[in-house]
Amino acid sequence: MTDRSVSISTPQITVLDTGGQYCHLIARKVRELGVYAEVRPSDTPATELAGRKGLIISGGPCSVYDQGSPTVDPAIFDGGPAVLGICYGLQLMAHLLGGAVLRGKTAEFGLATLELDHSCGDPLFGGLAARQQVWMSHRDVTTDLPGGFSVTGTTSACAVAAMAEPVRRLYAVQFHPEVVHTRSGAEILSNFLYRICGCERDWEPRHRIPSIEDDLRRVVGDRNVFFFVSGGVDSTVAYTICLRTLGADRVRGVYVDTGLMREGETDFVRATFDALGSAGVEIDRAADRFLPALAGVCDPERKRHIIGEQFLAEQERIIESHGLLDGHWILGQGTIYPDTIESGGSERAETIKTHHNRVAGVQKLLQSGRVVEPLSSFYKDEVRQIGLELGLPRALLERHPFPGPGLAIRCLCAEAEAAPVRTPDGWMIPIHSVGVQGDSRSYAPVLVVDPAGDNLHQAATELANRISAINRVITLVRGKTPIDELRVHPGSLTPDRLEKLRHADAIVRRLSAASGFEDTIWQFPVVLIPLGSSTCPDSIVLRPVDSVDGMTAQSAPMPQPLLQSISEEILAQPGLCCVFYDLTNKPPGTIEWE
Ligand code: XMP
């Protein structure tokens, strides 16, 4: 454990990360069952894992035969801690212990029925009915068991859906017990923790506040703490716990208003920190530095890059002008557990970007012991529990996530005029939005389908899976111009277009909060696209999604009256032509459009 975060004695459970997006979900589920779990790279030497009661090898996107595919130290199978392999973890266990894994002819993806062989008396499935709904996502299959193993569960497509070798306490499942679609997933994980590993309950985030405070005092010493706050949950909870531990005189913050924020955000931030009794948060108005830097830029990756660089420049300027390098100050950050892993805490996490809490300037401060991160051992839902315990209002703790680059990545741009193309499946719109195909990001056009039809969401899912040239399917809710007369118009990140988006976003937030819909979903991005008529050149896309952690998501069905009132009010604004509704799940579409 590093010196800037809370201390935790040797974890009982370590999740070995083989690069799958579910590895954090496994650790979180274990913690929900009352046992602290950490995430480590899959090839962590067995000697470093001594003292654990159990190891879980996560699923991952590779095949055991891929060159350089993740592996584990085979010594972990020598009768030390109990081991549970999940998905790729099962295949790796079979492969390393002398079994055979073959490339399957077709992938098995989605719900399946697991038939358990209770005659094996496998404690992993103790107390479970013989037939179980499970969730599968794999192509390779195990065809020969390693010595000493027996099959404990099968599905119609998978002869080795679960296997066990009780002498060395090695257990493995091809399905994913950590996802909600595996109905008895929590019972299976609980059996592993308590029946097989003999774990004791040691984790309840709310009860850790005193030890967070002790660690804070130790790390900070007699220095003061400075934060860049965002108005989001993590930095506000981290700031609050510092304030409570160190007192208002020793904690300061700056909120950088980039000009890419939602309507009312700066006032919200000011009111939040005023209510905390902190006079120490100042607002840095930086819109006139961010917006010119973005003028005329259309490419999404360039936009992100420019915003990241500009943010860095702001931070450096503020650190210097506030004398924060003089030894009396230390930088406080709301970094949470997945952020530390994603930026190199673990080599295998399939991640896309360096987290802004780990950019070069911060790394320098980290190396010289000038950063404190009181929440770096916690997951988001745990941070919310801590915030609640600290007395922060639910309205703040339950805020939807909002991306760092702000409205910039919800304001799509185009360089040239283009027309929609009629296809047998709908209108293909030449606007490129981002999606996830395999493990990488891709940009592809959008398909507009007819709003008629019984099960639009299901039809959209089938289309998105069938047509590889798109990664998003939307439908028209209401428009001022027929689709065949719409055109993509050149447009960039101008103050005028940002203002249109900000206004539409404010309408959506107001109406969906008032109707209670906001509380039922994970996030509700509102996106401006450069598609319309000559007098109304832009349109709005509504993107409400359900999700557990943002890694996968489903397009959320909206109540018709709300959809109608939102679109009516949006189209009463000048310059807006149509309102669309995004029907795409993630994958293949991401939550954000860029
Ligand atoms: P995607 O679009 O990848 O988003 O499905 C997953 C979650 O991450 C948020 N997101 C970001 N958050 N900086 C952030 O702080 C970013 O650059 C960024 N991009 C996406 C997104 O809102 C969703 O909750």
Side-chain angles (χ1 to χ4, degrees), residues 308-309 311-312 315-316 333 343 354-366:
E309 292 286 302
F311 214 92
L312 254 174
Q315 286 194 342
E316 276 169 11
Q333 297 206 110
S343 296
T354 300
H355 195 272
H356 54 264
N357 289 354
R358 286 289 178 272
V359 295
V362 172
Q363 293 284 13
K364 246 197 291 177
L365 291 176
L366 272 170

Side-chain angles (χ1 to χ4, degrees), residues 535-550:
T535 49
C536 295
D538 290 301
S539 290
I540 289 290
V541 183
L542 307 174
R543 172 82 172 129
V545 289
D546 289 321
S547 177
V548 185
D549 48 21

Side-chain angles (χ1 to χ4, degrees), residues 122-136:
D122 188 343
L124 193 63
F125 303 120
L128 263 63
R131 287 166 66 87
Q132 292 289 328
Q133 176 184 303
V134 296
W135 195 79
M136 288 284 197

Side-chain angles (χ1 to χ4, degrees), residues 304 352-353 355-356 400-406 409-410 434 436 441 472 522-523 525 543 545 547 549-553 586 589-594:
R304 278 180 177 274
I352 326 100
K353 50 204 169 208
H355 195 272
H356 54 264
H400 288 175
F402 185 70
I409 58 167
R410 294 181 179 174
V434 74
V436 265
R441 287 161 77 86
R472 216 172 276 275
W522 162 265
Q523 211 175 348
R543 172 82 172 129
V545 289
S547 177
D549 48 21
M551 290 176 176
T552 59
K586 173 186 178 179
T590 45
I591 294 176
E592 304 293 346
W593 268 51
E594 281 190 343

Side-chain angles (χ1 to χ4, degrees), residues 144-474:
D144 274 326
L145 295 181
F149 277 79
S150 52
V151 173
T152 53
T154 56
T155 70
S156 58
C158 183
V160 184
M163 65 178 194
E165 200 278 62
V167 178
R168 283 180 287 169
R169 297 190 304 153
L170 305 179
Y171 300 86
V173 292
Q174 182 58 65
F175 58 89
H176 287 267
E178 71 278 20
V179 305
V180 286
H181 313 295
T182 296
R183 287 260 167 78
S184 301
E187 283 84 346
I188 294 168
L189 289 173
S190 173
N191 281 340
F192 180 69
L193 301 178
Y194 293 109
R195 290 192 191 211
I196 295 173
C197 301
C199 288
E200 284 150 26
R201 295 182 81 85
D202 68 352
W203 188 247
E204 167 53 81
R206 281 177 307 152
H207 297 162
R208 301 208 68 87
I209 292 178
S211 74
I212 300 176
E213 293 182 335
D214 287 347
D215 286 320
L216 251 174
R217 284 190 205 96
R218 180 177 52 75
V219 175
V220 175
D222 59 1
R223 296 173 292 183
N224 298 330
V225 183
F226 181 85
F227 274 86
F228 289 100
V229 296
S230 70
V233 176
D234 307 340
S235 65
T236 311
V237 173
Y239 186 93
T240 307
I241 199 156
C242 284
L243 202 62
R244 183 171 122 154
T245 311
L246 305 172
D249 291 346
R250 296 180 58 197
V251 188
R252 292 277 175 278
V254 167
Y255 166 80
V256 178
D257 179 352
T258 58
L260 300 165
M261 315 310 286
R262 302 170 118 179
E263 191 172 290
E265 186 63 15
T266 301
D267 293 341
F268 177 88
V269 170
R270 191 193 301 280
T272 301
F273 287 95
D274 282 353
L276 284 174
S278 156
V281 170
E282 94 190 44
I283 310 283
D284 178 62
R285 297 200 182 271
D288 57 359
R289 292 186 287 278
F290 277 83
L291 298 184
L294 288 162
V297 178
C298 289
D299 178 68
E301 297 299 333
R302 281 248 309 135
K303 278 193 212 168
R304 278 180 177 274
H305 181 76
I306 290 170
I307 294 165
E309 292 286 302
Q310 190 59 40
F311 214 92
L312 254 174
E314 291 297 322
Q315 286 194 342
E316 276 169 11
R317 183 183 55 74
I318 291 165
I319 285 175
E320 215 161 290
S321 65
H322 286 61
L324 300 179
L325 297 172
D326 69 358
H328 290 106
W329 288 92
I330 176 167
L331 182 69
Q333 297 206 110
T335 312
I336 63 170
Y337 193 53
D339 305 335
T340 67
I341 303 287
E342 287 181 1
S343 296
S346 136
E347 285 166 25
R348 293 284 174 197
E350 294 279 311
T351 46
I352 326 100
K353 50 204 169 208
T354 300
H355 195 272
H356 54 264
N357 289 354
R358 286 289 178 272
V359 295
V362 172
Q363 293 284 13
K364 246 197 291 177
L365 291 176
L366 272 170
Q367 279 153 18
S368 57
R370 281 182 289 173
V371 177
V372 65
E373 300 184 318
L375 304 175
S376 66
S377 298
F378 298 92
Y379 283 103
K380 187 79 151 201
D381 42 356
E382 299 175 332
V383 170
R384 290 200 171 103
Q385 285 180 44
I386 292 170
L388 211 54
E389 193 72 9
L390 293 174
L392 286 169
R394 273 182 196 277
L396 174 98
L397 296 172
E398 282 160 18
R399 293 192 98 192
H400 288 175
F402 185 70
L407 296 177
I409 58 167
R410 294 181 179 174
C411 183
L412 271 70
C413 304
E415 273 168 0
E417 187 167 316
V421 178
R422 180 79 215 172
T423 74
D425 297 303
W427 289 95
M428 195 76 92
I429 308 289
I431 291 173
H432 285 208
S433 90
V434 74
V436 265
Q437 294 192 357
D439 281 309
S440 51
R441 287 161 77 86
S442 66
Y443 285 89
V446 177
L447 185 74
V448 183
V449 293
D450 196 337
D454 277 348
N455 197 338
L456 261 186
H457 277 95
Q458 196 180 331
T461 302
E462 283 161 15
L463 283 168
N465 287 337
R466 176 162 62 78
I467 309 173
S468 60
I470 58 166
N471 49 29
R472 216 172 276 275
V473 178
I474 63 177

